[in-house]
Amino acid sequence: MAELLRIYDENPSQKHINKVVETLRNGGLIIYPTDTVYGLGCDITNTSALEKIAQIKGVKLEKANFSFVCEDLSNLSDYVKQIDSATFKVLKRNLPGPFTFILPGNNNLPNVFKKKKTVGIRVPDNAICKSIVATLGNPIVSTSIYDEDEVLEYTTDPELIKEKWDHLVDLVIDGGYGDNIPSTVVDLTTPQPEVIREGKGSIENL
């Protein structure tokens, strides 16, 4: 049974954030709010947790296109090859924000992702999310939680999310109603930024 934990976006309780981080460090899976839809996440350094998420999503871990959720751009070089100044300016203009940017991965990627040439980077504009990553000290690996209902596509009510994911995750954060439009995905490994999926992020600033 998952625990439902209410955390306020305006001023996240550090005590509650510590509880979330403890769950992540123990290999737990969490569902948490972002600046777009609710995400399913785990600690990037925990292979068994990563495997659980891949299993839930029905994909092979080494081929999974999960996003790395970072606190800011300062730990970009941990997982991303050196990028040119034009690419960095695009990131700086749009992050934190509702974007996933595909960038060239470097040799420091976790072992399970070693064969991947690229990595999706997210820096959501959400205080809860940023506090979790800051306290954890490394990125969360994340994926959106789709809804099987074709009309809904994304569930926005944390209590309904808890009901549905109760036996699959350890903790559901109630950060209020989520959005139902996902992030805009942009590939920055091409000569010009290439929009893979248009979502909440405006492509005018690219």
Side-chain angles (χ1 to χ4, degrees), residues 19 60 118 184 197:
K19 184 169 190 170
K60 285 195 168 161
T118 60
T184 295
R197 177 183 74 195

Side-chain angles (χ1 to χ4, degrees), residues 75-94:
N75 47 7
L76 203 61
S77 58
D78 293 351
Y79 301 109
V80 172
K81 280 183 183 169
Q82 197 165 358
I83 52 175
D84 59 32
S85 57
T87 303
F88 188 73
K89 280 176 185 167
V90 172
L91 297 174
K92 202 86 171 123
R93 265 199 308 274
N94 294 286

Side-chain angles (χ1 to χ4, degrees), residues 3-4 11 16 22-23 34 55 59 63 89 91 98 108 110 126 145-146 163 188:
E3 181 180 349
L4 187 67
N11 189 17
H16 287 158
E22 190 183 341
T23 301
T34 69
Q55 202 176 354
V59 292
K63 292 184 175 172
K89 280 176 185 167
L91 297 174
N108 299 331
N126 177 282
I145 54 166
Y146 279 91
E163 217 171 274
L188 292 181

Side-chain angles (χ1 to χ4, degrees), residues 7 11-21 131-132 134-136:
I7 302 180
N11 189 17
S13 150
Q14 191 57 47
K15 184 182 164 192
H16 287 158
I17 294 293
N18 291 345
K19 184 169 190 170
V20 176
V21 168
S131 300
I132 293 167
T135 305
L136 182 63

